[in-house]
Amino acid sequence: MLTFALRRAILGLLVLATVAVLVFVAFRFVPGDIVNRQLEEAGAVTPALLAEKRAQLGLDEPLPVQFYNWISGVAAGDLGKSLWSGRMVSDQIGAALAPTLQLSVLAILIGGILGIGAGVAAALWRGTPVDMVLRVASTVFLAVPQLWLGLLTLTALAAIGYFIPLPYRGFTAAPLLNLQQVVFPAAVLALGVAAALSRLTRSAMLEVVGADFIRAAHARGVSPSGVYLRHGLKNALIPVLTLLGTQFGNLLSGTVIIERIFNIPGLGNLLFESVANRDYPVIQAAVLTYGLITILVNLAVDLSYGLVDPRIREARA
Amino acid sequence: MPLQPSLDAASARSALLAVENVAVTYSNRSGSHEVCSDVTLSVGRGEALAVIGESGSGKSVTVLAVTGLLGAGGTITQGSIRFDGEDITRLDDRERRRRGLRGRRIGMIFQNPSRALDPVFTIGQQLNEALRQTDRFSQPELRRKGTDWLRHVGLPDPEEALDRYPHQLSGGQRQRVMIAIALASEPDLLIADEPTTALDVTIQAQVLGLIRRLQRELGLALVIVTHDFGVVAAMADRVAVMYAGQVVETGTVDEIIRAPRHPYTRALMASLPTGIPGTRVTALPGSVPSARSMPSGCRFHPRCPVAVPACSVTRPVLDSLSESRAMRCLLEEAPAS
Ligand SMILES: Nc1ncnc2c1ncn2[C@@H]1O[C@H](COP(=O)(O)OP(=O)(O)OP(=O)(O)O)[C@@H](O)[C@H]1O
Ligand SMILES: [Mg+2]
């Protein structure tokens, strides 16, 4: 088990390193840099001034040197300073991380419970109107873009005279206010997750419900909830967990646009602004953070297989 | 506990389980098929009944009808099933559980122990589900009782086996576990649907011996499904022979084995396995007709070596020949070969 976790951790680091290279290189090919943007605002642009500014920020060095400077800093725990505001990047990431994590964890919880619940219900009431309604709903929510659903939610809330209070407050500072701000974007993100999960849970449950051990559990007098939720769901859970992991990745990318729409000062908002400003150190750190979260979630999903199925646990031992 | 082989008609009347003229139909979108048409059999307390017949003759469907586990689309369309005097023909799942017909009064062992045990729960967890049918036990009590049952069925290291998962046991051990689970809720009737077909030949006799011993010790009624007359002789007091969804002959094991009278029973006995897997002395030509295309008249007539023209027209009924014996054949006086 330990060696398995270790192997996965090393693999995760390799993925993270690849992400670092890709994000570093990719954004250097996007035309325009921060110096252009700053001087545009100032008004007077002379080639000499540009060169001087670039030299100040270290942007005149060859790319490999810049990369080396950055990555050695990262390895030592120093994410550098924002080219735009001069603040420590680690401070900015730290402040933005909490809202994003709260939003995505809340969304995956809501989506997981809704989706698995709907999938189990659809399987047990297969062919009935319940099943029909749930299947149509999941198809609809799978097809609707999150951006559109987010805007629709805001419009609908405004139409009934409800406005989400602003500005954003953290959960520890003002729990009630924070929940009012977070619950709608979380629900928007959760619907897509729930839609995908419910379809898979339904088919996985249908497969399990026909198994001999389900009939045998009935025969020894296990209650219906025991048969379907204990025996049925636990056996159907492996593919569902896998999907939950990949859905978390989708959800995380969804947070970028949803944070923007709902004014949540998370990683997504930070990334949005830093891209607009070509603020390379911030962009790179934000993308790396997303990568790290994704890798950790996948690791957790992989480890959870062993908790569900003893045969997988043994194969890894 | 001594066995009481009171096999007379009086015991049949006070039978623990009485299945009478039961028909079972499976229906789905593409239509419905009557897979059992006229099943009549009974088992008294402490008695062992073997149900024998070729593959597809409706043996499993019959015992599933008794436990109400026919599955999607399956219904009992005719006849009645009585258990201990109660009519249980059309009870729903909830009512069956409430009356203890699942586990506490009727235990069931399935054909394939590897598929009948849930792979992601320990043996102990599954055994506890059965133990809890009888009483509310504390965790230590459950453990002690679970260990006792596993020891009873001859599992090595019973205490450790509680924490094992099904895949960590051999096929024979798994079937022993299934037997322990079926018996742990202390039923009056044990139903075993081909409990050894999925097992290694060398293990089969051991597991059958175990079932027979426990059945006698605990004074259980037993219904054992098989397609092997060797099993019938070793395990049962009485036999019901099934063909194409009907019982065609019943009687005591002695009577049937010494003097089979229905042409199908005789053909089936003539094709006794030789002991070498896959080989039979005389193969019965043809196969069981499907529910879609039942022959007219006697269902066995197309394969019957002694059929007369009337057999393809007239449907024979299950006639009593003596107190213990009944047969479904127009040629009741057919000579024993
Ligand atoms: N769930 C079901 N749906 C539709 N038809 C079924 C179902 N279960 C059984 N049948 C049909 O009922 C008939 C009898 O099947 P059954 O399983 O009782 O045979 P069996 O005597 O137990 O045979 P075997 O020795 O192979 O176990 C078969 O024709 C089978 O196709
Ligand atoms: Mg069968």
Side-chain angles (χ1 to χ4, degrees):
Chain A
M1 198 69 187
L2 241 175
T3 58
F4 170 77
L6 203 67
R7 249 182 301 147
R8 292 308 309 241
I10 292 170
L11 198 67
L13 277 180
L14 284 177
V15 172
L16 214 53
T18 316
V19 170
V21 174
L22 283 180
V23 66
F24 188 91
V25 173
F27 276 98
R28 305 295 155 141
F29 285 113
V30 179
D33 65 14
I34 183 140
V35 180
N36 269 327
R37 304 267 308 162
Q38 280 175 338
L39 292 182
E40 263 166 32
E41 290 190 358
V45 190
T46 66
L49 205 58
L50 273 177
E52 186 195 333
K53 266 281 190 188
R54 289 212 171 95
Q56 246 177 37
L57 296 172
L59 295 177
D60 57 344
E61 309 252 26
L63 267 191
V65 176
Q66 287 188 42
F67 181 74
Y68 176 79
N69 289 340
W70 174 63
I71 203 75
S72 49
V74 169
D78 175 16
L79 293 175
K81 286 194 176 121
S82 162
L83 299 182
W84 186 259
S85 65
R87 285 177 60 197
M88 294 293 291
V89 174
S90 49
D91 290 348
Q92 283 182 287
I93 298 282
L97 193 56
T100 297
L101 282 185
Q102 187 204 8
L103 178 64
S104 40
V105 168
L106 193 65
I108 203 82
L109 277 181
I110 298 175
I113 292 169
L114 270 183
I116 293 174
V120 170
L124 295 188
W125 285 295
R126 174 191 196 175
T128 66
V130 177
D131 182 23
M132 232 82 108
V133 168
L134 288 173
R135 285 173 75 183
V136 170
S138 74
T139 312
V140 169
F141 286 119
L142 217 49
V144 173
Q146 277 165 345
L147 169 65
W148 189 81
L149 201 60
L151 291 173
L152 186 75
T153 308
L154 276 183
T155 319
L157 287 176
I160 61 166
Y162 180 83
F163 293 92
I164 297 176
L166 284 174
Y168 178 87
R169 302 291 303 276
F171 183 75
T172 43
L176 269 182
L177 198 66
N178 169 269
L179 281 184
Q180 285 181 56
Q181 291 164 334
V182 171
V183 76
F184 293 105
V188 168
L189 288 168
L191 280 175
V193 175
L197 275 181
S198 77
R199 308 185 122 221
L200 186 78
T201 308
R202 178 182 182 274
S203 63
M205 275 297 279
L206 281 179
E207 212 168 284
V208 171
V209 161
D212 281 5
F213 61 78
I214 292 291
R215 183 175 267 177
H218 277 301
R220 65 175 172 267
V222 180
S223 67
S225 68
V227 171
Y228 295 115
L229 296 185
R230 249 164 73 83
H231 292 285
L233 191 53
K234 194 170 177 193
N235 276 280
L237 213 52
I238 295 277
V240 175
L241 283 174
T242 312
L243 187 68
L244 201 67
T246 50
Q247 282 296 310
F248 192 87
N250 288 351
L251 187 148
L252 210 55
S253 62
T255 57
V256 177
I257 196 74
I258 290 295
E259 282 177 8
R260 194 80 193 150
I261 297 176
F262 286 87
N263 282 308
I264 292 172
L267 273 182
N269 246 326
L270 186 64
L271 183 65
F272 216 92
E273 280 158 19
S274 57
V275 168
N277 293 334
R278 307 286 187 276
D279 195 346
Y280 298 130
V282 180
I283 299 175
Q284 289 155 6
V287 172
L288 268 191
T289 311
Y290 279 122
L292 187 65
I293 297 174
T294 311
I295 286 165
L296 288 178
V297 166
N298 278 318
L299 187 64
V301 166
D302 261 3
L303 292 175
S304 72
Y305 293 156
L307 291 181
V308 173
D309 194 326
R311 292 163 296 187
I312 298 179
R313 192 154 65 229
E314 264 171 33
R316 285 173 180 175
Chain B
M1 199 180 286
L3 174 69
Q4 292 174 332
S6 48
L7 307 169
D8 49 23
S11 89
R13 251 181 272 123
S14 66
L16 180 64
L17 173 72
V19 176
E20 264 163 45
N21 309 108
V22 160
V24 173
T25 302
Y26 275 104
S27 27
N28 55 23
R29 283 197 200 92
S30 62
S32 60
H33 313 292
E34 194 176 85
V35 297
C36 274
S37 310
D38 192 358
V39 178
T40 299
L41 47 85
S42 70
V43 201
R45 285 181 183 280
E47 185 184 46
L49 170 80
V51 178
I52 189 169
E54 281 170 290
S55 188
S57 54
K59 308 179 295 291
S60 295
V61 168
T62 301
V63 295
L64 288 174
V66 170
T67 47
L69 292 169
L70 284 171
T75 41
I76 299 173
T77 44
Q78 263 176 54
S80 71
I81 301 177
R82 303 181 70 78
F83 184 75
D84 208 2
E86 298 166 39
D87 186 348
I88 62 166
T89 320
R90 264 169 259 281
L91 300 181
D92 60 13
D93 283 1
R94 166 181 295 198
E95 188 59 23
R96 278 178 196 275
R97 252 171 54 75
R98 201 183 65 75
R99 298 196 191 186
L101 296 168
R102 297 269 169 82
R104 206 181 78 238
R105 295 165 71 195
I106 302 179
M108 182 136 185
I109 305 172
F110 293 85
Q111 177 166 344
N112 192 331
S114 310
R115 292 206 304 239
L117 285 166
D118 188 330
V120 301
F121 286 89
T122 62
I123 304 303
Q125 286 171 319
Q126 300 182 60
L127 196 50
N128 288 350
E129 290 175 336
L131 287 168
R132 287 206 194 92
Q133 301 300 315
T134 58
D135 211 338
R136 309 184 70 140
F137 294 113
S138 66
Q139 275 303 321
E141 279 175 317
L142 283 173
R143 245 193 123 68
R144 191 174 46 75
K145 284 189 171 282
T147 310
D148 285 349
W149 272 111
L150 292 186
R151 184 175 303 119
H152 231 63
V153 297
L155 218 66
D157 303 324
E159 169 104 51
E160 286 92 277
L162 285 178
D163 300 318
R164 294 217 179 169
Y165 288 92
H167 72 275
Q168 297 168 324
L169 303 179
S170 72
Q173 290 173 335
R174 276 179 222 147
Q175 194 59 298
R176 285 171 192 269
V177 168
M178 285 309 297
I179 295 170
I181 290 175
L183 296 182
S185 46
E186 299 168 24
D188 303 316
L189 170 66
L190 178 65
I191 297 176
D193 187 356
E194 303 196 36
T196 56
T197 13
L199 300 183
D200 209 80
V201 188
T202 52
I203 315 283
Q204 291 185 356
Q206 289 175 20
V207 170
L208 288 172
L210 173 72
I211 294 176
R212 183 62 161 159
R213 178 170 66 75
L214 289 171
Q215 182 249 333
R216 286 190 161 141
E217 275 177 21
L218 302 168
L220 299 175
L222 172 69
V223 174
I224 182 161
V225 173
T226 178
H227 36 225
D228 183 346
F229 262 107
V231 173
V232 173
M235 300 291 291
D237 307 310
R238 284 195 309 118
V239 199
V241 182
M242 284 190 69
Y243 183 79
Q246 298 176 324
V247 170
V248 295
E249 184 169 10
T250 65
T252 64
V253 169
D254 255 14
E255 287 169 335
I256 302 278
I257 288 189
R258 220 173 330 111
R261 293 187 55 182
H262 195 283
Y264 177 64
T265 314
R266 276 190 264 139
L268 203 58
M269 280 188 61
S271 66
L272 257 180
T274 52
I276 305 157
T279 57
R280 294 185 170 249
V281 177
T282 338
L284 188 58
S287 58
V288 181
S290 85
R292 278 163 227 253
S293 54
M294 275 304 164
S296 60
C298 171
R299 291 183 172 184
F300 185 58
H301 86 262
R303 298 170 75 191
C304 183
V306 295
V308 296
C311 294
S312 61
V313 186
T314 316
R315 289 184 187 172
V317 293
L318 194 65
D319 269 333
S320 268
L321 303 182
S322 69
E323 275 181 322
S324 61
R325 196 146 189 205
M327 178 166 80
R328 186 190 298 275
C329 183
L330 295 178
L331 314 165
E332 270 177 26
E333 296 310 311
S337 58

